[in-house]
Amino acid sequence: MAVKKLAVLFSGGGSNLEAILQKLHGKTFGETKIEVVLTLSNKADAGGIAKAAKFGLQSVILNHKDFASREEFDAALVREIEKSGAELTVLAGFMRILTPVFTSRVRAINLHPSLLPLFKGAHAIEQSFESDMKVGGVSVHWVSEELDGGAIIAQRAFEKSAGMSFEAYETKIHEIEHELLPQVVVEILCQS
């Protein structure tokens, strides 16, 4: 049985981290067992830290404000990921723009709450909700030097219902994220 190691980076509440831990951590898919070996946040007060602790994982805290440059922060990130032995890194609400110091050395995927290439950046949910588009959705893509610009691996869309509130729209986005991201991780790790 092959054991595939996963790192998860997050900045906030950690709902996608929790979905990964619930659905994948310590679970077997065919001949592959998936272990989350690193949970890391750039914020000491991120809600995901407590969620990881419920699964016996102590998160590494790397505050980006403690570093003189993005490149120094990214080098520290790379060291932690390499030390963990993770074969794949998942950016699950990790709100940092990464430099080539990271993107050239780490095999990573990112979850984004819009149908890329539309609505890149930190305000994607609000922008897609306020747009004239009749659908919303979620993308999972490879991390590259370009913000939200790497090759798209998977997307899932849903129809915006008439009169849908922003809260309902955001809830639907998160429901799809919690399904799609773990599925993509399994597909990648079980093929490689």
Side-chain angles (χ1 to χ4, degrees), residues 152-178:
I152 295 168
I153 303 165
Q155 290 181 309
R156 190 166 299 159
F158 66 95
E159 203 166 319
K160 268 195 232 178
S161 55
M164 188 178 217
S165 70
F166 176 74
E167 291 73 24
Y169 184 82
E170 188 173 35
T171 297
K172 184 66 178 171
I173 294 273
H174 294 317
E175 285 172 6
I176 294 171
E177 287 177 337
H178 298 165

Side-chain angles (χ1 to χ4, degrees), residues 22-49:
Q22 286 173 345
K23 295 177 180 185
L24 306 183
H25 183 53
K27 305 261 189 327
T28 302
F29 301 87
E31 295 297 312
T32 304
K33 183 177 182 182
I34 296 175
E35 294 285 347
V36 176
V37 293
L38 175 65
T39 56
L40 184 148
S41 181
N42 62 317
K43 297 191 174 186
D45 61 351
I49 295 166

Side-chain angles (χ1 to χ4, degrees), residues 120-138:
K120 295 180 178 185
H123 304 290
I125 297 177
E126 295 89 344
Q127 290 170 348
S128 63
F129 177 74
E130 291 166 4
S131 78
D132 289 338
M133 288 184 62
K134 302 301 180 203
V135 293
V138 172

Side-chain angles (χ1 to χ4, degrees), residues 4-187:
K4 299 287 185 166
K5 297 177 178 180
L6 190 65
V8 184
L9 313 186
F10 60 96
S11 296
S15 68
N16 283 296
L17 165 67
E18 187 172 43
I20 287 171
L21 291 170
Q22 286 173 345
K23 295 177 180 185
L24 306 183
H25 183 53
K27 305 261 189 327
T28 302
F29 301 87
E31 295 297 312
T32 304
K33 183 177 182 182
I34 296 175
E35 294 285 347
V36 176
V37 293
L38 175 65
T39 56
L40 184 148
S41 181
N42 62 317
K43 297 191 174 186
D45 61 351
I49 295 166
K51 290 178 174 145
K54 286 187 207 166
F55 289 84
L57 297 168
Q58 180 157 2
S59 296
V60 173
I61 313 300
L62 274 185
N63 187 335
H64 58 277
K65 293 176 183 171
D66 294 341
F67 296 85
S69 67
R70 283 188 187 277
E71 289 77 10
E72 282 185 29
F73 174 72
D74 286 1
L77 266 184
V78 169
R79 282 193 297 276
E80 289 295 337
I81 292 164
E82 288 177 347
K83 192 167 71 178
S84 77
E87 297 162 64
L88 180 68
T89 297
V90 177
L91 278 53
F94 190 63
M95 305 306 284
R96 297 292 302 155
I97 295 171
L98 297 162
T99 69
V101 170
F102 180 95
T103 59
S104 68
R105 300 209 18 220
V106 176
R107 185 175 183 233
I109 61 173
N110 182 49
L111 175 68
H112 188 74
S114 78
L115 294 172
L116 290 171
L118 301 173
F119 314 114
K120 295 180 178 185
H123 304 290
I125 297 177
E126 295 89 344
Q127 290 170 348
S128 63
F129 177 74
E130 291 166 4
S131 78
D132 289 338
M133 288 184 62
K134 302 301 180 203
V135 293
V138 172
S139 304
V140 180
H141 65 92
W142 292 105
V143 174
S144 70
E145 290 173 36
E146 182 189 345
L147 174 67
D148 297 328
I152 295 168
I153 303 165
Q155 290 181 309
R156 190 166 299 159
F158 66 95
E159 203 166 319
K160 268 195 232 178
S161 55
M164 188 178 217
S165 70
F166 176 74
E167 291 73 24
Y169 184 82
E170 188 173 35
T171 297
K172 184 66 178 171
I173 294 273
H174 294 317
E175 285 172 6
I176 294 171
E177 287 177 337
H178 298 165
E179 289 174 16
L180 188 61
L181 184 59
Q183 287 172 7
V184 170
V185 170
V186 170
E187 286 168 16

